[in-house]
Amino acid sequence: MDEIGPLTRKVMQYQDTVRQLVPTVKTAEDWAPLASLIAIDRFERIGTFLEVQNWQQYAEMLTGWATSVDSFETTVRRVTELSELVYFEIEERHFFGGKAHVVNSMTVFEFDTDAKICHVDVYL
């Protein structure tokens, strides 16, 4: 990953920020460092069950998830940057109660002209 594009760097920063915040998050406002990467007013997330969330709804969902896990790890499998999109395939490991839940996911990040994340599609 020595020669990654600028939007891929933002996705990696997004991932690192999530991992760093998970152990400390208590409220949706605690996601402020992640929000700095987001086009808050335009943001839309389409989840694995086709649920649609704006930034506030997503931050609330993330808070519920983060407060239910002991820790969270990922392994990057593949990343492709194409125009304003980054295709980000990872293995996720969610640890809680002495157990690990492992899933493969792919998230498509879309960026606006200011290089802020404005749309996310999540696939399991």
Side-chain angles (χ1 to χ4, degrees):
M1 290 213 164
D2 292 338
E3 297 183 33
I4 62 175
L7 300 180
T8 298
R9 280 187 185 73
K10 295 255 183 179
V11 169
M12 300 305 282
Q13 182 181 359
Y14 174 97
Q15 174 187 246
D16 292 344
T17 302
V18 168
R19 275 199 316 252
Q20 290 168 2
L21 291 175
V22 164
T24 63
V25 164
K26 302 292 184 236
T27 70
E29 290 74 30
D30 294 337
W31 294 103
L34 188 63
S36 70
L37 301 170
I38 306 293
I40 301 294
D41 296 337
R42 297 185 50 221
F43 181 80
E44 178 181 67
R45 176 191 182 266
I46 309 294
T48 58
F49 298 104
L50 301 179
E51 69 277 13
V52 179
Q53 298 168 319
N54 63 25
W55 170 252
Q56 186 60 42
Q57 293 164 329
Y58 182 49
E60 290 170 9
M61 187 271 302
L62 281 175
T63 302
W65 164 73
T67 57
S68 73
V69 298
D70 299 327
S71 63
F72 173 67
E73 299 174 354
T74 60
T75 300
V76 177
R77 298 294 185 203
R78 292 174 195 85
V79 181
T80 301
E81 184 174 322
L82 181 63
S83 187
E84 74 282 352
L85 301 173
V86 174
Y87 296 83
F88 190 63
E89 183 183 344
I90 61 174
E91 177 186 287
E92 302 179 25
R93 293 174 300 285
H94 307 253
F95 298 93
F96 51 94
K99 297 181 181 178
H101 180 70
V102 181
V103 296
N104 289 320
S105 69
M106 184 178 75
T107 303
V108 181
F109 291 85
E110 182 178 346
F111 291 82
D112 65 12
T113 55
D114 296 322
K116 298 275 189 170
I117 299 166
C118 61
H119 186 90
V120 174
D121 288 302
V122 181
Y123 304 91
L124 289 181

